[in-house]
Amino acid sequence: MQATQRLFRYRNMMPLLFIVLFLLLFQTFPAYAQPPYAKWGRLAMQETMKRYPNAQIVDYLHVGRKQKTPTTSEETFKLLLQKGNRRWALLVHIEFVNQTEEVVNISYEETR
């Protein structure tokens, strides 16, 4: 008799259990925010691929941002490129207007 009552009690909880499982499985998880330099990093890689179409980008590093003038800033990225047996580092400097994020200049500097 107790087993029947226990089974009946759990059977009444089944809809609640399904609702909880449904909410856990289909809950929207918050998207992680991208760092502020992500947009400029994508641009640095796109422009590098245009400039060096036969090379592969094998590594990427955000060096930093600095204020160039009161109205512009510069993001710097270090990309490691490889073409065949040759490997080299490339610094990509992207200068942009702070307010509008309009690109002013992109410059490249090959390093070791």
Side-chain angles (χ1 to χ4, degrees):
M1 183 102 162
Q2 282 185 343
T4 307
Q5 287 175 345
R6 206 176 304 138
L7 181 62
F8 182 72
R9 188 179 319 145
Y10 292 133
R11 182 173 281 160
N12 287 340
M13 293 178 65
M14 291 301 268
L16 179 62
L17 180 63
F18 283 127
I19 290 171
V20 169
L21 286 174
F22 178 80
L23 291 175
L24 287 175
L25 290 175
F26 296 103
Q27 167 183 338
T28 56
F29 293 100
Y32 292 101
Q34 292 183 344
Y37 60 82
K39 169 185 176 178
W40 304 112
R42 282 191 297 275
L43 180 63
M45 289 192 290
Q46 289 169 353
E47 294 301 314
T48 299
M49 287 187 287
K50 287 180 191 174
R51 188 175 175 114
Y52 299 91
N54 298 323
Q56 290 182 308
I57 299 172
V58 295
D59 202 2
Y60 161 98
L61 173 70
H62 175 244
V63 176
R65 177 184 285 196
K66 69 179 181 181
Q67 193 79 23
K68 290 280 282 192
T69 69
T71 59
T72 64
S73 294
E74 181 181 83
E75 289 282 3
T76 302
F77 298 91
K78 186 173 187 177
L79 305 177
L80 184 61
L81 303 176
Q82 182 172 348
K83 181 179 177 183
N85 292 333
R86 181 179 176 229
R87 252 190 184 186
W88 71 100
L90 182 71
L91 288 174
V92 181
H93 306 279
I94 303 174
E95 185 178 354
F96 61 94
V97 178
N98 295 330
Q99 204 73 350
T100 62
E101 293 191 337
E102 177 186 343
V103 175
V104 174
N105 185 39
I106 299 176
S107 61
Y108 305 88
E109 179 184 348
E110 287 191 22
T111 64
R112 287 191 160 238

